[in-house]
């Protein structure tokens, strides 16, 4: 099984080189701990967002991280792909 976090979007002010790889590792680690997307949603750690429609079909998910300096929520949205296919 090859689960990946793809199409990561975040507020531009938080973008830094290498951040997408770090976010992917952190999100996958947390999803493995929950055991399933549905469990993470039920617990409130993960939310389901709107799909971009025909342009970028697939389920979109949102997690909120905390800015360590100002303690603001940082929305991170992403899709998941399993074996190269975006999860619908």
């Amino acid at each position: 099984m090859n689960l990946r976090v793809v199409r990561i979007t975040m507020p531009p002010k938080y973008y830094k080189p290498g951040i997408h790889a770090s976010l992917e590792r952190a999100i996958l680690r947390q999803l493995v701990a929950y055991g399933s997307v549905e469990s993470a949603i039920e617990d409130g750690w993960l939310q389901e967002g709107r799909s971009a429609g025909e342009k970028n079909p697939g389920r979109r998910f949102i997690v909120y991280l905390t800015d360590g300096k100002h303690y603001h929520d940082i929305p991170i949205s992403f899709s998941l792909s399993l074996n190269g296919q975006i999860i619908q």
Side-chain angles (χ1 to χ4, degrees), residues 27-66:
I27 290 167
L28 288 176
R29 191 171 33 248
Q30 193 67 22
L31 281 175
V32 167
Y34 275 106
S36 73
V37 169
E38 286 74 22
S39 295
I41 290 171
E42 286 176 16
D43 191 51
W45 175 74
L46 185 65
Q47 296 177 7
E48 190 157 3
R50 283 187 329 171
S51 169
E54 290 181 28
K55 182 179 177 187
N56 286 317
R59 292 173 77 181
R60 293 290 290 172
F61 302 98
I62 302 168
V63 294
Y64 291 90
L65 304 179
T66 302

Side-chain angles (χ1 to χ4, degrees), residues 3-22:
L3 183 65
R4 300 227 20 201
V5 175
V6 294
R7 299 179 184 160
I8 298 172
T9 58
M10 61 189 299
K13 83 179 217 178
Y14 294 105
Y15 179 80
K16 292 183 174 131
I19 191 75
H20 284 166
S22 295

